[in-house]
């Protein structure tokens, strides 16, 4: 079980009779097929780069243009206005060729130049069209003529059958906002959170900044925006994620859980095999760019840049900051099971193993009864604790020998798989089961997920699944896309036999999983145990509660003619105000993927208008008609903030980047320091779904994922993630800290349910 299958292509020995050469034909065949697969991928990538480089033009359009040019020339018509003849006389080697070769060559050359010019004209026209965002600001109802014409032009110049990365060169760059606009928006956002004295003081700080270093810092940002693809994203990745020295478990990583309303099999190896196979098929579509790019309204493209590092990516610890290591290909996954680590090959003879073949390998790992090596069981606690001790330990103990080889097998794996020895489940009558499920995915035991991998797939002993994802390489929608794809393929494409095992029959015996070997000295084990102690303190302080709100969903919200997201955000504001008797700075994540290399921006959900609505809900002098009117105003304000964030008019990334520039220049800004130190006591995010066309929630509403969540951002605050799961269900994931006496996830969850019910009653009451 623990030994590797033979991978020696040939061996030889010297005897009295001479040199005896022994060829291993099976190994040679495997080496050959592996090389062929590698070259196919290289050639495929090169072809995709050419296609993407000229998109929205296509190779077929080149053939069409070349045929027209050549045909007209042969017919005696010169549509090149003499350029073909000019090329014939001015290119030396063409001038010396025969007249037929000369004509054909110059026609092809002219056609190619014309085709490239056409491609660039279409590309830059599309880029100019994508600068327009007026469509987002239109009121609900029929689309305006202007927007209809614009969308028609985008479809016309957007090309057909795009690859995943086809639109990348046509996406516009995000612009740097004006300092004055950012400050005005900021002051408006904090007005409901400050008394007059504090607000006047903040106004003075903002005025000094605007009249002082603000414009200078902004000029540097504009210079950066001209030079770089995106003036925000590289600094956001480096300073917000990779420079953090505290644990990434709970503090940064996020999680997702199963579609809990269905349970296709209780056999752990079978479920793992199907999902692993689905993820590897997704990776194949990613590599070949056959994965469809996300198009808003089936027309407007979003940036696909973040997909590139979804697989074979690991966060490498450093003393001052971490880095991301990405490998272009991997033919294995890393597996953790009952304290042991394995390298499991997922390809054999150049072919991806079928689910039934993967099940055999996974069952071998589950059945293996060998004991963990000293220190091996808790090894992954290094990735859960503080970053500096892990960085030092990695250099000292994992830079050579068996430890380096085994660590390489984990870090260069396609992804990490954890086969848990405990079950988790959903029970509509016992919410604590879902809470335990969520905690298992968020942090596990602190040593059974490799928190540095781009993601860890977790398969529980009863066949339930979930994941834990590292955050620096991409944002949640990218993982949600993979999760939705894999879950649907698992259930609807692969399926299971009546006994719960995978469908199909093995066509070959899969290679034995390789048990990874470790030689961990006592000093290294001491570091591991110290990291585990840090991880335990962190995970024991997590208070997580998951709510399945099924009283109503977006179906009712749409009858109120209110955005479901704005509706839920106001419910969260109401719940928080009732719980804390005050308002707080609220973070809602919004994407900026309408721009090249865009990631996220902040929507400040606590506004003057939302506060007015919240106060009215418990004000007996207000009627339901008054409250509805206030809510409509508040939701419009929220929607405007969301649109501004998506279209590059948000303020928080701009303020962050100006702060970074000030640090590079060695200058301190009291205004920026205070702004960047304000705690987000309510951090919220909506989990996206239906990013593929594979799942029909009308026919299969029970197959919606329960979403996922994250840890609290502030010590005395809440992290709230929610997924609008179809027409009638919303899942809320609420997290806070046990050590905080003023927060409680269960009580806050009850407040959310009450707020949702009160708002529904408000709309349902006779007026």
């Amino acid at each position: 079980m623990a030994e590797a299958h033979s991978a020696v292509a040939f061996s030889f020995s010297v005897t009295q009779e001479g040199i005896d050469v022994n060829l291993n034909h099976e190994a040679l065949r495997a080496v050959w097929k592996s090389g062929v697969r590698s070259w196919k991928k290289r050639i495929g990538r090169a072809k995709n780069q050419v296609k993407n480089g000229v998109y929205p033009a296509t190779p077929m359009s080149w053939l069409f243009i070349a045929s027209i040019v050549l045909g007209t020339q042969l017919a005696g018509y010169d549509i090149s206005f003499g350029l073909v003849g000019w090329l014939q006389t001015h290119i030396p080697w063409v001038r010396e060729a025969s007249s037929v070769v000369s004509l054909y060559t110059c026609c092809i050359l002219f056609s190619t130049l014309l085709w490239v010019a056409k491609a660039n004209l279409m590309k830059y026209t599309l880029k100019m069209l994508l600068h327009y965002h007026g469509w987002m600001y239109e009121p609900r109802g029929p689309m305006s003529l202007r927007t209809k014409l614009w969308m028609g032009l985008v479809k016309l110049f957007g090309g057909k059958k795009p690859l995943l990365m086809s639109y990348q060169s046509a996406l516009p760059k995000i612009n740097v906002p004006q300092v004055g606009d950012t400050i005005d928006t900021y002051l408006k956002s904090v007005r409901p959170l400050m008394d007059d004295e504090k607000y006047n003081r903040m106004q003075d700080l903002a005025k000094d900044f605007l009249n002082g270093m603000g414009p200078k810092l902004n000029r540097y940002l504009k210079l950066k925006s001209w030079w770089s693809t995106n003036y925000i994203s590289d600094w956001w990745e480096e300073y917000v994620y990779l420079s953090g020295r505290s644990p990434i478990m709970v503090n940064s990583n996020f999680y997702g859980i199963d579609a809990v309303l269905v349970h296709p099999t209780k056999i752990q190896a079978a479920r793992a095999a199907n999902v692993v196979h689905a993820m590897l098929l997704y990776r194949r579509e990613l590599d070949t760019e056959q994965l469809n790019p996300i198009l808003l309204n089936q027309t407007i493209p979003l940036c696909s840049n973040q997909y590139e590092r979804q697989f074979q990516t690991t966060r490498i610890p450093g003393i001052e900051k971490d880095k991301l290591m990405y490998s272009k290909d991997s033919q294995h996954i890393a597996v953790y099971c009952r304290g042991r680590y394995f390298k499991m090959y997922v390809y054999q003879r150049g072919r991806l193993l079928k689910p039934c073949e993967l099940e055999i390998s996974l069952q071998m790992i589950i059945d293996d009864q060998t004991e963990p090596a000293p220190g091996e069981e808790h090894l992954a606690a290094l990735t859960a604790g503080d970053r500096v001790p892990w960085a030092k330990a990695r250099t000292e103990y994992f830079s050579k020998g068996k430890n380096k080889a085994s660590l390489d097998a984990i870090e260069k794996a396609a992804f990490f798989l954890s086969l848990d020895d405990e079950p988790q489940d959903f029970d509509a009558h016992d919410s604590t089961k879902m809470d335990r499920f969520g905690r298992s995915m968020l942090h596990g035991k602190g040593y059974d997920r490799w928190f540095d991998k781009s993601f860890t797939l977790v398969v529980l002993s009863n066949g339930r699944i979930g994941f834990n994802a590292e955050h620096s390489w991409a944002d949640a929608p990218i993982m949600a896309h993979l999760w939705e794809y894999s879950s649907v393929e698992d259930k609807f494409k692969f399926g299971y036999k009546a006994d719960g095992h995978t469908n199909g029959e093995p066509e070959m015996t899969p290679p034995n999983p390789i048990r990874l070997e470790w030689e961990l000295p006592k000093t290294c084990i001491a570091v591991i145990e110290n990291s585990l102690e840090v991880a335990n303190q962190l995970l024991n302080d997590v208070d997580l509660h998951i709510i399945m709100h099924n009283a109503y969903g977006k179906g009712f919200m749409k009858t109120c003619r209110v955005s479901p997201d704005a509706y839920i955000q106001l419910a969260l504001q109401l719940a928080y105000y009732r719980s804390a008797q005050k308002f707080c700075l609220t973070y809602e994540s919004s994407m900026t993927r309408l721009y090249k290399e865009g990631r996220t921006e902040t929507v400040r959900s606590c506004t003057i208008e939302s506060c007015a609505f919240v106060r009215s809900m418990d004000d007996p002098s207000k009627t339901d008609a008054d409250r509805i009117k206030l809510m409509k105003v508040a939701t419009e304000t929220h929607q405007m903030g969301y649109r501004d964030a998506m279209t590059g008019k948000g303020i928080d990334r701009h303020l962050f980047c100006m702060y970074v520039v000030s640090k590079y220049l060695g200058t301190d800004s009291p205004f920026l320091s205070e702004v960047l130190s304000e705690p987000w006591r309510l951090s919220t995010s909506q989990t996206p779904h239906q990013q593929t066309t594979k799942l029909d929630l009308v026919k299969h509403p029970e197959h919606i994922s329960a979403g996922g969540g994250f840890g609290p951002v502030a010590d005395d605050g809440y992290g709230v993630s929610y997924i609008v799961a179809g027409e009638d269900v919303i899942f809320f994931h609420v997290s806070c800290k046990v050590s905080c006496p003023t927060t409680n996830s269960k009580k806050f969850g009850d407040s959310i349910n009450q707020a949702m019910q009160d708002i529904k009653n408000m709309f349902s009451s006779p007026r």
Side-chain angles (χ1 to χ4, degrees):
M1 171 58 200
E3 74 279 359
H5 62 287
S6 176
V8 180
F10 69 94
S11 61
F12 69 92
S13 58
V14 179
T15 65
Q16 292 180 346
E17 288 77 19
I19 298 176
D20 181 24
V21 179
N22 180 28
L23 293 176
N24 186 325
H25 296 285
E26 188 66 25
L28 281 174
R29 190 179 297 112
V31 170
W32 169 257
K33 288 187 175 181
S34 176
V36 169
R37 176 175 173 270
S38 177
W39 275 104
K40 281 183 178 179
K41 291 188 73 172
R42 292 181 188 179
I43 293 169
R45 287 193 185 105
K47 288 168 67 175
N48 287 342
Q49 286 176 354
V50 172
K51 288 180 180 179
N52 291 335
V54 298
Y55 193 85
T58 64
M60 286 302 295
S61 66
W62 173 86
L63 184 61
F64 176 77
I65 291 173
S67 300
I68 294 295
V69 170
L70 185 58
T72 54
Q73 285 287 333
L74 293 174
Y77 299 99
D78 185 8
I79 62 172
S80 72
F81 299 100
L83 283 174
V84 170
W86 185 89
L87 290 172
Q88 285 180 290
T89 58
H90 286 79
I91 300 177
W93 62 272
V94 173
R95 191 169 56 233
E96 297 170 0
S98 66
S99 58
V100 174
V101 171
S102 174
L103 177 64
Y104 276 64
T105 301
C106 291
C107 283
I108 291 173
L109 183 57
F110 172 75
S111 301
T112 303
L113 293 173
L114 189 61
W115 177 66
V116 170
K118 174 204 170 187
N120 280 290
L121 177 63
M122 292 180 68
K123 183 185 302 181
Y124 286 105
T125 302
L126 180 60
K127 180 178 286 191
M128 293 301 296
L129 288 168
L130 293 177
H131 273 94
Y132 171 73
H133 298 121
W135 58 276
M136 291 190 66
Y137 292 88
E138 290 192 353
R140 291 177 178 272
M143 192 182 296
S144 70
L145 178 61
R146 181 181 184 183
T147 297
K148 285 181 180 178
L149 291 173
W150 172 79
M151 292 191 76
L153 288 171
V154 171
K155 287 183 178 180
L156 177 65
F157 288 96
K160 297 180 179 178
K161 297 182 180 179
L163 299 174
L164 179 64
M165 299 293 176
S166 290
Y167 291 113
Q168 290 304 102
S169 58
L171 290 172
K173 285 187 178 184
I174 192 167
N175 293 321
V176 180
Q178 296 298 319
V179 182
D181 294 341
T182 292
I183 288 177
D184 288 345
T185 305
Y186 168 77
L187 290 174
K188 186 178 179 181
S189 74
V190 297
R191 185 64 188 99
L193 307 174
M194 297 180 177
D195 58 29
D196 291 344
E197 182 181 350
K198 289 183 178 178
Y199 183 71
N200 290 335
R201 175 179 170 275
M202 185 55 74
Q203 274 188 316
D204 292 338
L205 289 176
K207 184 177 179 181
D208 291 342
F209 179 74
L210 181 59
N211 295 329
M213 70 169 66
K216 177 183 177 182
L217 299 179
N218 215 42
R219 285 194 292 272
Y220 278 98
L221 287 185
K222 287 184 178 179
L223 180 63
K224 183 175 189 280
S225 72
W226 297 338
W227 179 255
S228 60
T229 306
N230 188 298
Y231 83 94
I232 302 167
S233 294
D234 57 340
W235 283 352
W236 187 251
E237 179 180 302
E238 181 177 358
Y239 296 114
V240 172
Y241 292 118
L242 298 179
S243 294
R245 301 295 80 203
S246 59
I248 60 175
M249 182 191 76
V250 176
N251 293 327
S252 178
N253 285 28
F254 58 94
Y255 71 89
I257 59 178
D258 207 352
V260 294
L261 301 180
V262 292
H263 198 162
T265 181
K266 294 185 178 181
I267 299 176
Q268 185 179 30
R271 189 77 193 277
N274 263 5
V275 177
V276 166
H277 187 79
M279 287 181 166
L280 292 169
L281 289 180
Y282 179 94
R283 183 181 70 161
R284 178 185 293 170
E285 291 193 22
L286 205 58
D287 288 342
T288 59
E289 298 189 34
Q290 297 305 307
L291 195 68
N292 292 327
I294 303 295
L295 301 176
L296 298 184
N297 298 328
Q298 299 182 335
T299 304
I300 304 136
L302 298 184
C303 179
S304 300
N305 180 66
Q306 294 180 56
Y307 287 93
E308 291 183 330
R309 298 182 294 186
Q310 190 153 24
F311 295 89
Q312 296 96 233
T313 295
T314 304
R315 179 169 174 161
I316 305 298
I319 301 299
E320 295 182 355
K321 64 181 177 182
D322 298 349
K323 64 179 180 179
L324 290 175
M325 181 183 74
Y326 167 71
S327 304
K328 286 189 175 181
D329 191 22
S330 177
Q331 297 192 42
H332 74 276
I333 61 173
V335 184
Y336 179 88
C337 182
R338 296 197 307 277
R340 295 85 38 83
Y341 289 85
F342 299 85
K343 179 179 182 179
M344 190 182 108
Y345 285 97
V346 292
Y347 281 85
Q348 189 175 25
R349 299 175 186 172
R351 174 176 72 77
L352 175 63
L353 295 176
K354 296 163 59 177
C356 57
E357 294 162 348
L358 291 170
E359 184 181 352
I360 294 172
S361 293
L362 290 163
Q363 193 61 52
M364 291 174 71
I365 291 175
I366 294 169
D367 293 340
D368 183 272
Q369 298 300 314
T370 58
E371 293 296 318
E376 181 181 11
E377 182 178 11
H378 296 163
L379 178 62
L382 290 170
T383 70
D386 292 317
R387 304 304 292 172
V388 174
W390 171 210
K392 292 179 178 178
R394 190 176 186 277
T395 301
E396 185 171 355
Y397 303 113
F398 298 90
S399 57
K400 58 183 179 181
K402 293 180 179 178
N403 292 347
K404 183 181 187 305
S406 295
L407 184 62
D408 278 350
I410 294 172
E411 293 181 340
K412 295 179 180 178
F415 56 88
F416 192 85
L417 169 64
S418 180
L419 298 171
D420 280 15
D421 55 1
E422 295 177 354
Q424 302 292 343
D425 217 335
F426 165 76
D427 187 340
H429 305 291
D430 184 0
S431 63
T432 61
K433 289 188 177 181
M434 274 280 279
D435 297 348
R436 289 195 294 271
F437 197 161
R439 287 185 55 128
S440 177
M441 297 306 107
L442 178 61
H443 52 65
K445 298 175 182 176
Y447 58 81
D448 51 357
R449 285 91 176 91
W450 199 269
F451 294 100
D452 285 353
K453 284 298 287 183
S454 54
F455 68 92
T456 295
L457 169 64
V458 182
V459 183
L460 300 149
S461 62
N462 62 340
R464 288 290 191 188
I465 59 173
F467 71 84
N468 180 283
E470 200 276 319
H471 210 329
S472 64
W473 64 274
D475 300 309
I478 309 303
M479 270 307 300
H481 196 166
L482 168 64
W483 198 238
E484 183 178 319
Y485 178 103
S486 303
S487 299
V488 174
E489 296 290 279
D490 164 39
K491 172 63 178 175
F492 294 102
K493 183 177 179 179
F494 307 144
Y496 299 90
K497 296 178 180 177
D499 60 3
H501 288 282
T502 51
N503 281 317
E505 297 298 328
E507 296 177 5
M508 65 176 76
T509 302
N512 291 339
I514 301 170
R515 172 73 186 277
L516 299 183
E517 298 181 0
W518 309 94
E519 292 179 346
L520 305 173
K522 291 182 179 180
T523 50
C524 180
I525 295 174
V527 177
I528 293 171
E529 294 304 316
N530 286 338
S531 292
L532 181 58
E533 184 177 347
V534 172
N536 280 331
Q537 290 175 358
L538 186 58
L539 66 88
N540 287 330
D541 199 23
V542 171
D543 180 9
L544 179 67
H545 180 50
I546 301 176
I547 309 157
M548 181 181 176
H549 180 275
N550 56 6
Y552 67 96
K554 73 176 181 181
F556 172 78
M557 297 176 191
K558 287 186 290 188
T559 66
C560 303
R561 297 187 177 182
V562 172
S563 156
D565 181 69
Y567 187 111
I568 293 170
Q569 284 292 325
L570 286 178
L572 294 177
Q573 289 295 311
L574 178 57
Y576 186 87
Y577 183 75
R578 287 172 169 174
S579 300
Q581 296 301 305
K582 62 180 180 180
F583 297 104
C584 71
L585 194 63
T586 305
Y587 180 111
E588 182 187 5
S589 178
S590 166
M591 63 90 175
T592 55
R593 289 169 60 199
L594 290 169
Y595 298 96
K596 191 179 296 185
E597 295 185 12
R599 290 197 60 162
T600 60
E601 178 56 276
T602 304
V603 181
R604 294 184 167 227
S605 301
C606 182
T607 63
I608 295 171
E609 293 79 7
S610 70
C611 293
F613 162 72
V614 167
R615 288 191 181 98
S616 76
M617 288 297 291
D618 296 323
D619 183 351
S621 68
K622 300 291 186 183
T623 65
D624 283 338
D626 295 332
R627 294 176 184 124
I628 290 172
K629 187 180 294 184
L630 288 169
M631 183 172 179
K632 292 290 181 72
V633 173
T635 55
E636 283 302 315
T637 300
H638 180 270
Q639 282 298 94
M640 185 62 69
Y642 207 96
R643 295 175 187 123
D644 286 346
M646 287 183 65
T647 56
K649 299 173 188 172
I651 64 171
D652 284 279
R653 300 300 179 267
H654 185 209
L655 291 166
F656 161 75
C657 287
M658 286 194 288
Y659 180 77
V660 173
V661 174
S662 72
K663 291 302 176 184
Y664 274 123
L665 297 177
T667 58
D668 288 323
S669 165
F671 171 72
L672 290 176
S673 296
E674 193 149 332
V675 169
L676 270 295
S677 64
E678 293 170 341
W680 300 98
R681 290 192 173 88
L682 188 55
S683 181
T684 71
S685 178
Q686 180 177 181
T687 303
H689 66 285
Q690 282 194 285
Q691 298 194 81
T692 72
T693 57
K694 292 178 175 290
L695 178 60
D696 187 343
L697 287 177
V698 176
K699 292 182 179 179
H700 305 285
E702 72 281 5
H703 286 277
I704 186 66
S705 168
F710 49 88
V713 174
D715 291 338
D716 57 348
Y718 292 101
V720 181
S721 176
Y722 52 93
I723 181 169
V724 183
E727 296 294 306
D728 303 308
V729 179
I730 303 168
F731 285 97
F732 291 92
H733 298 246
V734 182
S735 67
C736 61
K737 292 196 173 183
V738 174
S739 58
C740 179
T742 60
T743 58
N744 182 290
S745 66
K746 179 66 168 63
K747 289 182 179 179
F748 191 60
D750 292 341
S751 293
I752 293 173
N753 275 329
Q754 188 61 54
M756 293 286 287
Q757 188 59 46
D758 289 347
I759 295 175
K760 182 179 187 292
N761 292 341
M762 176 187 73
F763 278 103
S764 301
S765 65
R767 296 186 295 278

